[in-house]
Amino acid sequence: MKKLFGNNIKPSCEYCELAKFENKTFVCTKNKEIINEKCKKFEYNPLKRIPKTSPALQQFSPEDFSL
């Protein structure tokens, strides 16, 4: 079954069900050791995921479209 944002989701505490944000760091509620912002108890929570914003569009002038 395909997950909401695809099957190739890299584990990160940013969108883990078991993590909470305290004192500008992520803390695992299972008290597991967090190495490189991920642990073995990672549980994906799509509601915690914040979509990346699209890059701003370039501003064009009328001269850009003239021949």
Side-chain angles (χ1 to χ4, degrees):
M1 183 174 183
K2 189 173 181 180
K3 294 182 180 176
L4 186 61
F5 288 99
N7 289 334
N8 298 326
I9 298 169
K10 293 182 181 179
S12 174
C13 292
E14 190 175 338
Y15 39 85
C16 178
E17 180 70 35
L18 304 173
K20 59 182 177 178
F21 192 71
E22 288 182 353
N23 300 328
K24 299 182 182 180
T25 58
F26 289 101
V27 178
C28 185
T29 58
K30 293 287 185 178
N31 297 325
K32 297 294 178 184
E33 183 179 355
I34 298 173
I35 301 171
N36 296 330
E37 291 192 17
K38 57 186 173 182
C39 67
K40 293 180 181 179
K41 295 290 185 180
F42 175 76
E43 291 183 24
Y44 178 64
N45 181 356
L47 298 177
K48 283 189 170 184
R49 190 175 185 124
I50 300 172
K52 295 179 182 175
T53 57
S54 301
L57 297 176
Q58 291 180 327
Q59 298 295 322
F60 294 104
S61 64
E63 291 88 29
D64 293 333
F65 298 102
S66 64
L67 296 174

